[in-house]
Amino acid sequence: MARVLHNLLLFLIRLALKIRVLGYWSLIYGYCALCTIVALLKLWWNIILRPTTTFQWVIRETPPACLNDTSLGTHCYVRIKESGLRFHYVAAGERGKPLMLFLHGFPEFWFSWRYQLREFKSEFRVVAIDMRGYGESDLPLSAESYRFDYLVTDVKDIVEYLGYNRCCLVGHDWGGTIAWLFAIHYPEMVTKLIVLNCPHPSVFTDYALRHPSQLLKSSHFFFFQLPRFPELMLSINDFKALKALFTSRSTGIGRKGRWLTAEDLEAYLYALSQPGALTGALNYYRNVFSSLPLSQNHVRSPVLLLWGERDAFLEQEMAEACRLYIRNHFRLNIISGASHWLQQDQPDIVNTLIWTFLKEGEGRKSYRN
């Protein structure tokens, strides 16, 4: 009798797991379908309003002068033997000083760290990379090439190529996700971890599934699963959606900080208008659902998490929840009035908070700014 009950219990557990997995993927594909319908309606409305300009966009052929600003650093390239990919990065500060490595988010590139490159080069070898698929780095077109393990290995290979065995790692948005993962898998290589507006991946998964409001804010995750159509929607009307992302009142840079200049915006459009650039950027999303949940979660490095209070894409409650996965000193700063694009929106505050974290001892409590 006991054996029968045991087998029945195992069957029910397996059945519950299968139902949970089925529900998970049904939610994903159902939400993808809904986002597709909404996007098609937007496209149809654009065609009605702007029949002659909807499908017009310009590939920028000449980089704006700000991308060649020598005060930001030197443009360099490295080809990684194992992956065969060539990576572009901008570096400043003396060789041999501690390495501070910057990982950008979507849809950005090395330029998003311009204020930090100038600020920290006095005491660090600062390096801002174009992650695979972005900027002047190589652009694998296969979505499979953007699996989490490949992206984490890229960081490891670049750190080692630069002649270091550890670094202070700084990441924002998708760069923050890769920074979290790198610190989880290579704790000995991270002296300190600094993340801007990006929750721990396990926090994001758990929270989004329990909070419909966050699921709605993350609708782009589902829409971007589609092939080709998201690239079209981001390109129409000469990249109007990308311009709005950086400049609109609801999502843009500078609502209570520094405005994105016209030249800065052209820098982004130059990088993202190149052939294949949008596909490379979107492929980060096209592997995310098969990569979660994580098998390892704990971070053993000291962590600074900076969070813009008015992030239009991520709910603030996730920031404090990250504490659950950190086995070291954790400092959280929530910056009032700041947007998702924190290091560009409030660079002076961000830089000051990073300096404080780099120089402080252990055991301090997190605080609000």
Side-chain angles (χ1 to χ4, degrees), residues 47 49 99 106 125 139 142 144 161 178 244 260 285 299 305:
I47 293 172
L49 292 179
L99 176 64
F106 171 89
R125 177 66 172 171
L139 197 160
S142 167
E144 177 70 14
Y161 167 82
I178 305 309
L260 195 71
Y285 291 91
V299 177
L305 178 58

Side-chain angles (χ1 to χ4, degrees), residues 114-116 118-119 246-247 252-261 264 337-339 341-352:
R114 56 197 178 280
Y115 297 111
Q116 288 67 45
R118 290 193 184 101
E119 177 71 19
F246 288 118
T247 62
I253 298 170
R255 287 174 301 180
K256 192 186 173 185
R258 302 197 184 191
W259 294 99
L260 195 71
T261 69
D264 292 340
S339 71
W341 320 100
L342 194 53
Q343 75 272 29
Q344 302 176 76
D345 190 39
Q346 301 280 4
D348 295 335
I349 294 175
V350 167
N351 293 346
T352 298

Side-chain angles (χ1 to χ4, degrees), residues 151-171:
L151 300 172
V152 170
T153 301
D154 287 345
V155 178
K156 178 177 180 290
D157 290 340
I158 289 170
V159 171
E160 292 177 343
Y161 167 82
L162 293 171
Y164 293 84
N165 54 25
R166 57 183 183 169
C167 67
C168 174
L169 188 60
V170 188

